[in-house]
Amino acid sequence: MSSENLPQSPERAESPEPQRRKPRVAVVFGGRSSEHGISVVTAGAVMKAIDRTKYDVLPIGITTDGRWALTADDPERMAIADRKVPDVDRLTESAEGSVVLSVDPGSREVIYSEPGSVPKALGEVDVVFPVLHGPYGEDGTLQGLLELSGVPYVGAGVLASAVGQDKEYMKRVFLSFGLPVGPYEVVRPREWDNAPAAARKRIVDFAGEHGWPLFIKPARGGSSMGITKVDDLAGLDEAIEEARRHDPKFLVESLLRGREIECGVLEFEDGPRASVPAEIPPVTAHDFYDFEAKYIDSAAGLVPAPLTEEQTAEVQRLAVAAFDAVSCEGLVRADFFLTEDGGFVINEINTLPGFTPISMYPRMWQESGVDYPELVDRLIQAALTRSTGLR
């Protein structure tokens, strides 16, 4: 009798392999910035798109006062309703319970605690998908915490996130890499607080050189919040106060006459690639492409943008160059003006751009052959293969 026909002894019998658990994705959203609501909307779309056969999902909402809360895994409740954006407080499972992520890089354990109760371990997190917009999330602060915790995360690192959030330093980096940037001025908090007359004169002189209208915008904001188009001196102070309501540092930019063009960048295994570009057409119901036009009235963008092959190739080249200049990772949306003289000027990048299915970044990649669920999956997979720390 051959040995292969002999019965196996108990010692040699193969034991079944333990079932491997699915990677756990913590979707972190909400936050303390004025973009809290749209972050919740984005998180709902991401959670809905995550393949639950491949990943476990742990939704963590950050309230407007900074509490990390365990929330319901209910994307349907996270959508815009009656022209109002949702908030984390309506989704939390407890008004007092809080979630804590260990800062011990040897442990990725998430702990949930409530006053008067024994803290409960919720298990380890394998990767964080942050969908926070603005300060206290998109600006490197959350990324720094995750670096300390040793937890991989989707998107740009600490430096790229900070530079991508601060429009002043973003423009300085672009200029140092030879990228085309439009005229601008920066007014810092101390300048406006201590010498407002001198700061105002500098703005007026800027208008004298570049002409009205001007755009007054928070230096470290997003989603077009706090931005005002100012046609003359009469509206200047009110526009400045609106910008400073979101950020004590503000930018002054001249109007660039031309077409608004956007381009997405996504990191693949062989490096970053650009999507087909999109065009934001003139918005007749709004003075410019502001928050309501983007998220409430869903202004339609043209995807792909009606550009020549040469123009498409150039804006894609510039988008990838901007991604590399700031040392980005994962994803970026780069926003440009195609000016009347035929040249592109980069306005800004977003390291965590609007990410609902109707947002321009997913729409551009949809047209480029990467649909929304695949886009979400690619970002998670890229983060899982990337270590924290210096890289």
Side-chain angles (χ1 to χ4, degrees), residues 19 23 109 111 156 264 287 372:
Q19 187 175 3
E109 194 80 27
I111 305 297
D287 205 22
Y372 192 81

Side-chain angles (χ1 to χ4, degrees), residues 232-254:
D232 52 43
L233 191 58
L236 182 61
D237 282 6
E238 184 179 351
I240 290 171
E241 289 310 308
E242 172 60 17
R244 283 171 54 84
R245 195 166 64 85
H246 298 267
D247 186 349
K249 182 169 78 166
F250 64 93
L251 257 66
V252 181
E253 295 179 347
S254 62

Side-chain angles (χ1 to χ4, degrees), residues 3 6 44 57 61 95 108 172 183 192 231 251 261 284 296 303 372:
S3 61
L6 290 172
V57 175
R108 298 176 179 176
R172 290 181 182 275
W192 187 254
D231 294 312
L251 257 66
I261 306 294
T284 56
I296 306 299
V303 187
Y372 192 81

Side-chain angles (χ1 to χ4, degrees), residues 213-234:
L214 302 177
F215 286 92
I216 311 297
K217 60 175 63 175
R220 293 161 291 194
S223 295
S224 297
M225 300 188 77
I227 300 177
T228 306
K229 182 182 177 184
V230 182
D231 294 312
D232 52 43
L233 191 58

Side-chain angles (χ1 to χ4, degrees), residues 159-182:
L159 175 65
S161 297
V163 172
Q165 185 65 36
D166 192 314
K167 294 177 177 63
E168 175 193 358
Y169 289 97
M170 180 198 309
K171 290 177 186 290
R172 290 181 182 275
V173 169
F174 289 159
L175 286 168
S176 72
F177 277 82
L179 297 173
V181 172

Side-chain angles (χ1 to χ4, degrees), residues 37 40-41 44-45 74-82 84-86:
V40 178
V41 175
D74 189 355
E76 301 301 330
R77 292 172 56 198
M78 301 166 75
I80 294 173
D82 299 323
K84 294 180 180 178
V85 292

Side-chain angles (χ1 to χ4, degrees), residues 349-360:
I349 59 169
N350 280 266
T351 56
L352 284 174
F355 212 83
T356 67
I358 66 166
S359 298
M360 295 309 298

